[in-house]
Amino acid sequence: ELATALNNRGHVKYLRVEFDAAVEDYTAAIECQPGFEVPYYNRGLVLYRLGCFDEAMRDFRKVLELNPQFEDAALSLKQTILDKEEKQKRGY
């Protein structure tokens, strides 16, 4: 299935620290199969690492909308919120 292949290719790029390319593949997987929660989660992880907290939170929330039992997404969302608040407290 194309969405799974795109997600997997994105993961390889993520592991190679090719974050922009990974985001492109995850986004393509989402466009191919919008109900597939895994590429939203993976894209959220990359966005979090890039410091794009609002976008990461949006992806983690979408994962939980599609699959409320996705515990890693719930934990990642919580951590992203905490890190965003910490960043705002420090003024950067």
Side-chain angles (χ1 to χ4, degrees), residues 4-6 8 12 15 21 24 26 30 43 50 64 68 70 74 79-83 88 92:
T4 301
L6 289 165
N8 292 345
V12 169
L15 294 173
E24 287 176 18
Y26 295 140
I30 290 163
R43 186 174 69 179
L50 293 172
L64 294 170
F70 201 124
Q79 188 61 53
T80 304
I81 291 167
L82 290 172
D83 288 354
Q88 288 172 333
Y92 60 88

Side-chain angles (χ1 to χ4, degrees), residues 14-28:
Y14 172 76
L15 294 173
R16 291 181 180 161
V17 196
E18 298 171 7
F19 293 146
D20 291 337
V23 167
E24 287 176 18
D25 280 345
Y26 295 140
T27 300

Side-chain angles (χ1 to χ4, degrees), residues 9 21 23 27-29 33 37 43 48 52 57 65 74 80 83 90-92:
R9 187 173 74 179
V23 167
T27 300
Q33 189 178 341
E37 72 271 20
R43 186 174 69 179
Y48 169 82
C52 303
M57 288 187 291
E65 176 188 312
T80 304
D83 288 354
R90 293 181 183 194
Y92 60 88

